[in-house]
Amino acid sequence: MCGIFACHCHPDVQKFKPTALRMAKAARHRGPDWSGNYIANNTILAHERLSIVGVDTGAQPLYNEDGSLVLAVNGEIYNHRVLRKQLKTAYNFKTHSDCEVIIPLYTEHGIGTPKLLDGMFSWVLYDKKQDRTIAARDPIGITSFYQGWSSQTPNAKYFASELKCLFPVCDKIISFPPGHIYDSKTDSLTRYFEPKWWDPANVPSTPIDYKLIRSALERSVRKRLMAEVPYGVLLSGGLDSSLTASIAQRETLRLREHASKHNGSAEASSGLVGIDDDNELSTVEWFPQLHSFSIGLPGAPDTKAALEVAEFLGTKHHAFTFTIDDGLDALSDVIFHLESYDVTTVRASTPMFLLSRKIKAMGVKMVLSGEGSDEVFGGYLYFHAAPDKQAFHEETVRRVKDLHLSDCLRANKSTAAWGVEARVPFLDKQFLETSMGVDPAEKMITKDRIEKYILRKAFDTTDEPDVKPYLPQRILWRQKEQFSDGVGYGWIDALKDHAELNVTDEMMKNPKPEWGNDIPDTKEAYWYRMMFDEHFPPYCASTVMRWTPTWSKQTDPSGRAIATHNNKYEEK
């Protein structure tokens, strides 16, 4: 991950520059490797870099030949090698960066550029000749991105990777909508991402093709191994992270075998990493083994499962532990980095935040993670209560559309807090087209079908004796654990207990007036909102979404609050 701050049409941009650099510095945790900035006319772009691809040459902002186009990007463009070959006009690339291809694409396709990109990204491009600023965010919102306005500078438009870069200079801020592009020429936001499944009323009827699901996820993982730095996988022991780790390990072993046969590395002769036209991957491997990482309280359900998976796959596993005090001590920092007070997000982000720090300390800068699968396949336990396939599908579409406010936000900011990048294969554009296009009747949870049945079945090789198993059967068919539960059931219990100590009944009866209608309904939620208010002004709360289960009377978002959980909360 990197950090971006940009302002278009500032009335005194030279005077504003020191402030702009301070705003960019507020996101330096995302990109601790280098800082760069650019000013022209009344626009400034500032960039804080985390170098993963084009390490030696890819410092930003990036420029075209005559310096008239300038680009600041946070993210990865997985198909950049393919896009370079498809350019109609020869372009003199200055770097090995995967992001530089955006500049010639803009020259040829204008605001149609984001449609061509396969990756996760937030970027701001300045066209000096037209005095035009373009900003875009990836289809699902995997990378965090915000837009702001100030009543003090009404004609200016502000953009940044995080809220904390904007609220000191803006009094109105929105989460930049995923799958959209902003064009200062028209001063408008336009949605460029328009897949078939986007309209929830359009219920798909495509029969399930298990091999297609499998191959689509394998391709997705393969392209996300594009790197020039040490990388690993987050492995909780749940289905999603275990499948991701299994495929990554297969790809790693395949690349190693290919490299040994060709007496070299898997890096392309061009010096560019990434997938090519034939979907073959070139990358740089640093470790003799794929490293996997988990975290939990001592004796956590996920840790035991993660160790079993790692032993089965042959990864070098690091099973870290944290104490309840470790988690409680980090809460305020977690909320500061998350820029959210949503209960589910805070609960799950704290262990991920602690784990990311340990991962960074080992020199790892990129990890694969399993976010998105539960939204795509209806994996949350409350999906048991879906009344019919249309309601099931509508809920999956809604959850995927809201990922930028929940699990993507968590994965992005919990890791970026320590300069680590999380990549999420389940949210690949092609994989989404395949998996969201399946008849939702196939995804429905029944007496004979556990949640995410079709994903499990796609990787069950019981009837394929010539195919090596992806996972142990016990793991492949293990019940869903939400991350905040799986790290140890005592974690959520401790959070609730400490909220009781910090929030009185009297406080619950008298919420702050500035909260308006957004009133916390539990002491835990109240406690997190108070911590949020210590870091951010009240108007920033408009960017926060509360995650709650549908078709359930439970207000607690934990999976254990759902009656179908094997270790559900006992009635009191």
Side-chain angles (χ1 to χ4, degrees), residues 1 16 47 58 78 83 87 89 97 182 193 202 221 235 274 276 307 315 333 359 371 394 411 445 461 491 508 527 531:
M1 287 298 115
F16 179 64
H47 189 268
Y78 302 122
L83 291 171
L87 292 172
T89 305
S97 169
Y182 170 82
F193 183 58
N202 182 20
V221 171
L235 177 57
D276 61 16
L307 287 167
T315 64
D333 285 346
I359 289 171
E371 278 75 20
E394 288 173 352
I445 303 164
T461 59
W491 171 233
M508 287 295 292
W527 188 30
M531 284 189 251

Side-chain angles (χ1 to χ4, degrees), residues 1-3 24-33 48 50 162 164-165 336-337 339 360 413 415-420:
M1 287 298 115
C2 300
K25 186 180 178 181
R28 189 165 293 168
H29 51 274
R30 299 178 64 87
D33 296 337
E48 303 290 339
L50 180 68
E162 298 195 356
K164 59 183 67 69
C165 307
F336 172 71
H337 281 286
E339 304 174 325
K360 185 57 182 288
K413 292 181 179 177
T415 53
W418 301 107
V420 176

Side-chain angles (χ1 to χ4, degrees), residues 522-537:
T522 66
K523 289 187 176 181
E524 186 183 4
Y526 196 112
W527 188 30
Y528 299 158
R529 181 61 199 267
M530 288 196 303
M531 284 189 251
F532 180 87
D533 288 353
E534 291 174 3
H535 299 299
F536 304 100

